[in-house]
Amino acid sequence: MESERWNPPGRGWFKINYDVAFQKHSLRSCTWIIIRNHEWGTLVSSIIQNKHVPTEFAAEALACLQEIRLGLDLELQDVIVEASKGCSNGG
């Protein structure tokens, strides 16, 4: 399996990467968010635990909303967003 390498954004830009895990039996999800600059410096790293998430699709949508909200709260303007390849399902 070929692994993809993280590439930094251009000068003056930020890159938001996020991933999500979902547990169907407990209706919980967890969102991981990291925001980095062009020098690989980490601006923010966040883990958010979510309850009452009914589906894997809802977990993905919630993670996307959370990363967008974080970028807006930080008033970032020049942003690239990269999502994970798919939801990690814990069963």
Side-chain angles (χ1 to χ4, degrees):
M1 185 170 183
E2 193 175 315
S3 102
E4 289 186 29
R5 188 179 164 118
W6 185 85
N7 292 312
R11 182 175 292 280
W13 283 72
F14 295 92
K15 188 176 276 191
I16 304 176
N17 294 91
Y18 72 98
D19 199 356
V20 61
F22 173 69
Q23 287 187 329
K24 184 177 182 177
H25 70 277
S26 66
L27 300 179
R28 293 177 183 237
S29 71
C30 187
T31 305
W32 295 274
I33 303 169
I34 187 165
I35 302 176
R36 294 184 181 139
N37 64 17
H38 69 279
E39 297 177 328
W40 296 67
T42 300
L43 179 65
V44 174
S45 178
S46 179
I47 298 175
I48 305 166
Q49 295 183 24
N50 307 294
K51 297 178 182 178
H52 312 292
V53 181
T55 64
E56 185 174 320
F57 178 80
E60 288 278 359
L62 181 58
C64 185
L65 177 66
Q66 289 169 329
E67 62 85 17
I68 289 170
R69 172 47 89 195
L70 183 57
L72 288 172
D73 288 348
L74 294 171
E75 299 180 2
L76 301 178
Q77 294 182 10
D78 297 322
V79 175
I80 298 168
V81 175
E82 288 185 343
S84 65
K85 293 288 184 195
C87 192
S88 300
N89 192 336

